[in-house]
Amino acid sequence: MAKPIIAVVTGTGAQGRAVSRAFHNSGLWQVRILTRNPDGKVATSFRDEGMDVVQANFEDKTSLLRAFKGAYAVFSVTIPPWHKSYMHTMGEYDQGVLQADAAKESNVQLFLFSTLPYVGPEFMGLGGVELYDAKARTNDYIMSIGLPGVFIGTEIERQTGLETRHTVIPDADGRWHRDLTKAFIYQNNHGLYPEVVFPTQATLDLGVKFGTLEEFVRMKIVPMFAE
């Protein structure tokens, strides 16, 4: 029996690589990597491991429809238009809407969306944090069109057990985008999902296993310093 297909948007990016690897290693899914450069190093490596790699532009609906064809699930991620590693111009909300519409038209049964919480214009006079708010508004759009969705957010402190603080330096806006500065201010003063108990009961009911910080260091960090 053929495995269900999951199409991973920007499958060679930071989030996409981890998601693609996890689904591939499960042995239960056929992973379809969406990338603008199918001949890149990461894409080539994934292809050699048995994953499908297709060229796609996440700002072009025709391209997305072609890439989503036959997929049971889609992992969707949006990228800030000021991100220097990507050559695109659409805002994150518009990217999310485009991906959701393409998934809906392609009869995708499960839409996994990488999101962040809504801040809004009133919090500490920041005027909103578009890096977060655009993703949160996309959540609402996905639900409004009846697309079966799962919204995936991260809470670093609850996953590691370590307090996470961001240092906002005086000339930060000259070194990176202003929205990142506002995002760090929000995280320092509010946290991402302070009301959510981690791990959630839903993940426990699904049998998801969580490692400890010590296990992560032993498995991932220590080998980086091996001779």
Side-chain angles (χ1 to χ4, degrees), residues 2 18-19 33 37 40 43 55-56 69 72 85 96 111 125 128-129 165-166 176-177 183 205:
V19 170
I33 305 291
N37 181 16
Q55 185 173 31
K69 185 177 181 180
Y72 179 89
S85 297
F111 194 76
V129 180
R165 301 289 294 178
H166 300 280
W176 54 55
H177 196 274
D205 291 344

Side-chain angles (χ1 to χ4, degrees), residues 88-125:
H88 63 284
T89 58
M90 290 178 65
E92 289 195 74
Y93 177 74
D94 291 334
Q95 293 173 40
V97 167
L98 191 66
Q99 292 177 37
D101 285 344
K104 180 77 172 178
E105 291 185 32
S106 301
N107 198 33
V108 166
Q109 298 299 299
L110 182 61
F111 194 76
L112 307 174
F113 182 63
S114 176
T115 192
L116 285 165
Y118 181 74
V119 178
E122 304 302 324
F123 185 82
M124 293 185 67

Side-chain angles (χ1 to χ4, degrees), residues 117-139:
Y118 181 74
V119 178
E122 304 302 324
F123 185 82
M124 293 185 67
L126 293 176
V129 180
E130 188 64 13
L131 181 66
Y132 289 3
D133 294 347
K135 291 181 173 68
R137 292 197 305 272
T138 304
N139 298 354

Side-chain angles (χ1 to χ4, degrees), residues 9 19 21 23 30 38 66 79 83 100 108 113 122 134-135 151 156-157 168 175 193-194 206 208:
V9 178
V19 170
R21 178 78 62 196
F23 275 89
Q30 180 61 43
R66 183 171 58 250
I79 309 294
H83 198 299
V108 166
F113 182 63
E122 304 302 324
K135 291 181 173 68
F151 306 106
I156 297 173
E157 292 182 18
V168 181
R175 301 181 61 179
Y193 299 97
L206 288 169
V208 177

Side-chain angles (χ1 to χ4, degrees), residues 36 79-80 82-88:
R36 291 187 175 184
I79 309 294
W82 40 262
H83 198 299
K84 295 180 180 180
S85 297
Y86 294 84
M87 299 294 292
H88 63 284

Side-chain angles (χ1 to χ4, degrees), residues 195-213:
E195 73 285 357
V196 176
V197 177
F198 185 88
T200 64
Q201 190 59 48
T203 54
L204 293 174
D205 291 344
L206 288 169
V208 177
K209 298 184 184 301
F210 296 90
T212 65
L213 177 61

